[in-house]
Amino acid sequence: MADIESLSESTTTDGRPEGSRGRGRTTITDNVVATIAGIAIRETEGVHSVGRGASKALGAVTGRMSGSSGARRAVKVEVGEKQTAIDVDVEVEYGTPIHELADLIRTHVTDAVETMTGLEVVEINIVVFDVHIPGDDDDDDSDGQSGSSSGGGSPRVQ
């Protein structure tokens, strides 16, 4: 959770940000950052779905709704006082250059989270767990599984 007293650059003579005296504190929870990141990821062209299993199925149903709970379940975040790190699992559309998509996701998420919260995004870990092949299965698939195979684990190669 991040507690932000003021985003103002100017300070008073005692070193505290101007306007922060007696005006309160803003707390940004992990859920807020996860929702913002989830929406930014879903709006990125080339991403078929976010999350695996139950979170993927829920995301397919609620993913187009603002503030959907699916975004929070499919995106894991760690929020510190001034920084945040984000982990996400995505299924990509076949034919999409994955390395370019990962860069685009990082850009969209960083822009959205930093603009809306004032937190610095220090890391975005992306696991591409599957490739969606159009016509291979229905988007409404009840078990949330894609027709193509995916590896058993989630190795992260840098």
Side-chain angles (χ1 to χ4, degrees), residues 103-119:
D103 289 343
L104 196 56
I105 289 170
R106 286 185 177 97
T107 299
H108 286 169
V109 171
T110 299
D111 290 349
V113 170
E114 289 184 352
T115 298
M116 294 183 71
T117 68
L119 294 169

Side-chain angles (χ1 to χ4, degrees), residues 52-153:
R52 302 182 192 205
S55 66
K56 179 180 168 185
L58 183 61
V61 173
T62 62
R64 288 172 178 66
M65 297 170 32
S66 295
S68 70
S69 61
R72 290 189 301 270
R73 290 188 183 111
V75 180
K76 294 181 178 78
V77 302
E78 185 176 325
V79 178
E81 287 186 32
K82 297 181 181 188
Q83 299 177 325
T84 186
I86 300 166
D87 294 329
V88 63
D89 296 346
V90 297
E91 179 180 11
V92 301
E93 294 288 344
Y94 177 79
T96 302
I98 295 171
H99 63 285
E100 292 175 13
L101 178 61
D103 289 343
L104 196 56
I105 289 170
R106 286 185 177 97
T107 299
H108 286 169
V109 171
T110 299
D111 290 349
V113 170
E114 289 184 352
T115 298
M116 294 183 71
T117 68
L119 294 169
E120 177 189 5
V121 177
V122 294
E123 180 178 67
I124 302 174
N125 298 309
I126 302 168
V127 175
V128 178
F129 68 89
D130 209 348
V131 175
H132 179 260
I133 302 169
D136 199 26
D137 61 4
D138 293 333
D139 287 342
D140 312 330
D141 203 8
S142 61
D143 66 1
Q145 296 294 322
S146 169
S148 60
S149 64
S150 60

